[in-house]
Amino acid sequence: MTPLNNPPAYQLQVPEEICHLIDRAAVTASKSRADFMLNALLDGAQSALLEQSLFRVSDEQMAAFEKALEKPLDEDPVFQKFLARKAPWKT
């Protein structure tokens, strides 16, 4: 790992139309191009890692989860209550 006082420099060849899009977005976010790109890269990296999350559950918890998945939705009163609600765009 690189020490924080000597971070690596990344060089990218970015098509002009993408540069314009990044610049517009950076201005909209009131950030410099570099800050905007760094934040976007960080968000993408975090999302990629979070998508790989592993959930550890006990055998009992897994059995309860599988049972809930197998339960027909028409027998689930919570789901029926949800279906009975009027859509927000229809109110």
Side-chain angles (χ1 to χ4, degrees):
M1 199 148 157
T2 307
L4 290 178
N5 58 354
N6 191 19
Y10 296 101
Q11 294 182 10
L12 300 171
Q13 292 185 354
V14 181
E16 187 175 342
E17 62 272 5
I18 294 177
C19 281
H20 291 307
L21 179 65
I22 291 169
D23 288 344
R24 285 179 46 212
V27 167
T28 301
S30 300
K31 295 182 179 183
S32 68
R33 178 192 294 164
D35 287 342
F36 183 84
M37 290 177 68
L38 185 58
N39 286 336
L41 289 168
L42 181 59
D43 288 345
Q46 289 173 335
S47 293
L49 293 174
L50 288 172
E51 288 175 4
Q52 301 300 314
S53 294
L54 175 66
F55 295 95
R56 296 184 188 276
V57 295
S58 67
D59 290 341
E60 293 81 20
Q61 290 170 320
M62 189 63 187
F65 177 68
E66 289 173 344
K67 182 178 177 182
L69 289 177
E70 292 169 1
K71 183 178 180 182
L73 290 177
D74 59 351
E75 295 177 12
D76 187 338
V78 175
F79 185 69
Q80 292 304 316
K81 183 179 176 184
F82 171 74
L83 287 180
R85 290 176 42 196
K86 191 167 188 167
W89 57 86
K90 292 185 178 181
T91 57

